[in-house]
Amino acid sequence: MYIDEERSESELRSLQNWLGQEPAVRRAVALTLREKSAEPGSMGGVLDVLQLVTGNGWSAASFVLSVAAWRQTRPRAPQVTIRRGNTEISISNGTETELRRVLAVLEGTDGEGEPDAGQGPRS
């Protein structure tokens, strides 16, 4: 997960702290800040990715709602991009429709609760 803006490291630290205080997220997710793969010629050294490792009891719905709630606390709600496998999806305006799309991607469904044909059956 990353934030596309100038203050991404401080925003990611804020989001990491926020998610770490959410009981439903904290129980099933390990959160780690790390560097995104550096572009050739760049200096690197900036923490710009918040990595989540999920375990049993993971609730994509609780996670998405927690990220949406955190965005509402920011003076300028940043766009948050989440990657699952090779798929990236962003939360930019926080509408119900957008949050449902993000949830469908994280759950590997088509938005109707059915496994996405590209994802195969969930295990």
Side-chain angles (χ1 to χ4, degrees), residues 7-85:
R7 297 173 28 132
S8 65
E9 184 172 348
S10 64
E11 293 290 11
L12 283 172
R13 287 186 188 283
S14 172
L15 178 56
Q16 180 184 33
N17 288 335
W18 180 275
L19 293 172
Q21 294 175 24
E22 290 290 320
V25 175
R26 183 179 60 229
R27 280 191 299 268
V29 176
L31 301 164
T32 307
L33 281 171
R34 66 177 186 83
E35 291 180 33
K36 197 172 9 175
S37 299
E39 301 285 325
S42 69
M43 295 177 61
V46 175
L47 298 172
D48 54 3
V49 174
L50 181 56
Q51 182 175 355
L52 283 74
V53 178
T54 61
N56 293 338
W58 156 255
S59 169
S62 291
F63 170 73
V64 170
L65 291 175
S66 293
V67 171
W70 171 80
R71 286 183 74 251
Q72 292 176 346
T73 70
R74 313 314 298 156
R76 255 187 33 234
Q79 176 174 307
V80 176
T81 302
I82 302 165
R83 183 190 331 210
R84 178 179 184 258

